[in-house]
Amino acid sequence: MRQNLGRLGQRLNAEAAETIAPGGRRWKMCAEAGILSLGRSEPGQPADLLTAVAGMEALAAETLDNGLLFCLVGQICSSVHPVSTFGDSAQRRRVLEPLCQGELVGAAAATEADAGSDVAAMRTRYRRAGGGYTLDGAKVFVTSAPSAGFFLVLARDGDAPAGQLPRLSYFLVSRDTPGATVGQTYETMGLNSAPLGELVLDGCRLQEDALLGNEGAGGMMFQSILEWERVLLVAAHTGTMGRVLQQTVSHARRRRQFGKPLLQHQQVGARLADARADLEASRLLTYHAAWCKRRGRTAPLEAALAKLFASESYVRASLSALQLHGAMGYATETGIEGQVRDALASTIYGGTSEVLRNLIAAML
């Protein structure tokens, strides 16, 4: 599998860069290789995060487009995994096949302007209405929103008595549903092939079959999705870190200063040794979290530890690559400065480093 996905990564690099879209060539290539099915589970058999981690790391080790990797992880963790795990047979037939075949882009709509990791502050509401539901609210920084054909929307019960803990539920919302509008898009400093947008819900009317799983089970489902997302994101990061380290070591062997290769200068060697240690530790934390999930456990602590350490290691590795390439690292033609811009987002999405430290401390 690793060799096949490595070759796929090389083929993806040869294709022209594109914003992701249903039916787009690179998206379809990933679907045909089985990438979009990595989060799929069969009835009575859970999806295997460990296999997904190995596949994503192998793909990222060769793929230069970090935005594409980010969107792939989003599709796997926030669309394929929840629909296949929590959806009924009708929802699986309607949505899952097009998702896995690359014909449909799904987008998770959970973050709000005043509610990211703090889902208790969520303002998007659902109310029962005429045998179905009505949704009102707005979601921001929705990955793939401009291209998405459906949204997985997390909302709180608008009919719950004041003062109660929020009762959360997930809904499948088609892009063409009346009352659902894709709003502004966001320009970002990195991950430029990953489109981000806003979803506005204004009296959005849904049928009963739009509810994913049981009403009120959204909190549990949100945690399951987060565990998958955090672990698979850092699997992509470890693959990229390995590629960046290899590129930097090759440069340090070729480049000579003061009569010897850069690699033989103590400070350079020490920095690369630290990068290798970060890589191996990140990989071990990531695979350990995935192994816990394979054993049927919840793994909030393991996923948080992997996400925190690997994302910060990813930033350090990218900055080291820029520093050790000198002026060429700062030049756009090498792609290293772009790699730094992409890496900086990793300590924000999927739970900021600050939130993760608080979460880890609470579980000590």
Side-chain angles (χ1 to χ4, degrees):
M1 180 180 71
R2 296 185 68 89
Q3 288 183 341
N4 290 339
L5 292 181
R7 286 194 290 270
L8 171 62
Q10 294 167 2
R11 285 172 27 229
L12 291 172
N13 295 337
E15 295 289 326
E18 61 179 15
T19 297
I20 113 179
R25 178 166 171 77
R26 293 193 304 162
W27 197 249
K28 290 290 287 184
M29 288 168 64
C30 291
E32 289 166 2
I35 296 296
L36 295 176
S37 298
L38 287 175
R40 183 171 186 167
S41 62
E42 299 302 330
Q45 183 178 358
D48 185 8
L49 182 54
L50 193 59
T51 298
V53 161
M56 187 55 62
E57 184 189 13
L59 181 64
E62 295 293 342
T63 304
L64 298 176
D65 188 343
N66 297 315
L68 174 63
L69 295 171
F70 182 64
C71 288
L72 289 172
V73 171
Q75 176 101 338
I76 293 166
C77 298
S78 300
S79 296
V80 173
H81 166 63
V83 172
S84 65
T85 302
F86 305 111
D88 59 32
S89 58
Q91 290 169 334
R92 289 169 61 94
R93 284 195 303 271
R94 185 171 75 247
V95 177
L96 191 57
E97 288 303 324
L99 282 173
C100 292
Q101 292 171 12
E103 298 167 356
L104 178 66
V105 172
T111 301
E112 299 182 3
D114 296 317
S117 299
D118 182 12
V119 293
M122 186 175 297
R123 295 183 178 180
T124 299
R125 301 291 202 270
Y126 72 89
R127 288 183 170 84
R128 282 197 163 271
Y133 300 91
T134 300
L135 269 62
D136 290 280
K139 302 292 186 177
V140 298
F141 299 112
V142 180
T143 304
S144 304
S147 301
F150 94 97
F151 298 86
L152 186 63
V153 178
L154 183 62
R156 65 186 297 167
D157 185 356
D159 294 322
Q164 279 192 359
L165 289 174
R167 188 166 182 256
L168 305 176
S169 298
Y170 269 108
F171 298 89
L172 301 179
V173 180
S174 296
R175 185 188 186 94
D176 58 0
T177 304
T181 306
V182 176
Q184 67 170 320
T185 57
Y186 302 97
E187 302 252 342
T188 56
M189 68 180 288
L191 300 174
N192 299 126
S193 58
L196 299 177
E198 177 186 49
L199 176 66
V200 179
L201 302 160
D202 185 8
C204 179
R205 294 295 302 271
L206 302 173
Q207 298 298 314
E208 186 100 26
D209 61 2
L211 176 69
L212 182 67
N214 296 323
E215 189 173 343
M220 174 273 293
M221 294 162 65
F222 178 72
Q223 291 304 317
S224 174
I225 292 169
L226 262 186
E227 288 178 19
W228 262 76
E229 181 182 53
R230 286 169 176 166
V231 176
L232 202 58
L233 279 170
V234 296
H237 298 344
T238 57
T240 304
M241 286 165 62
R243 173 176 56 78
V244 170
L245 177 59
Q246 184 178 45
Q247 178 185 5
T248 308
V249 169
S250 297
H251 170 75
R253 285 176 175 152
R254 291 192 309 269
R255 175 74 167 162
R256 297 181 67 85
Q257 288 287 284
F258 303 101
K260 59 183 179 181
L262 278 180
L263 190 58
Q264 295 180 16
H265 290 270
Q266 189 174 33
Q267 290 192 52
V268 173
R271 192 156 189 166
L272 290 171
D274 287 345
R276 179 58 185 267
D278 275 353
L279 171 62
E280 296 299 335
S282 297
R283 181 178 286 131
L284 286 170
L285 284 167
T286 302
Y287 276 86
H288 175 65
W291 175 80
C292 290
K293 294 294 290 180
R294 172 180 271 192
R295 291 173 63 85
R297 290 175 44 191
T298 58
L301 176 60
E302 292 82 359
L305 287 168
K307 170 64 170 61
L308 173 64
F309 187 84
S311 62
E312 296 200 344
S313 296
Y314 181 34
V315 172
R316 287 194 295 269
S318 300
L319 289 171
S320 289
L322 189 149
Q323 186 70 26
L324 297 181
H325 276 80
M328 287 306 297
Y330 199 65
T332 58
E333 64 187 84
T334 62
I336 294 172
E337 58 81 32
Q339 171 61 50
V340 172
R341 289 187 283 109
D342 291 345
L344 289 173
S346 69
T347 61
I348 298 172
Y349 54 63
T352 66
S353 290
E354 293 75 15
V355 165
L356 291 173
R357 285 188 170 92
N358 288 341
L359 176 63
I360 292 165
M363 289 188 283
L364 292 178

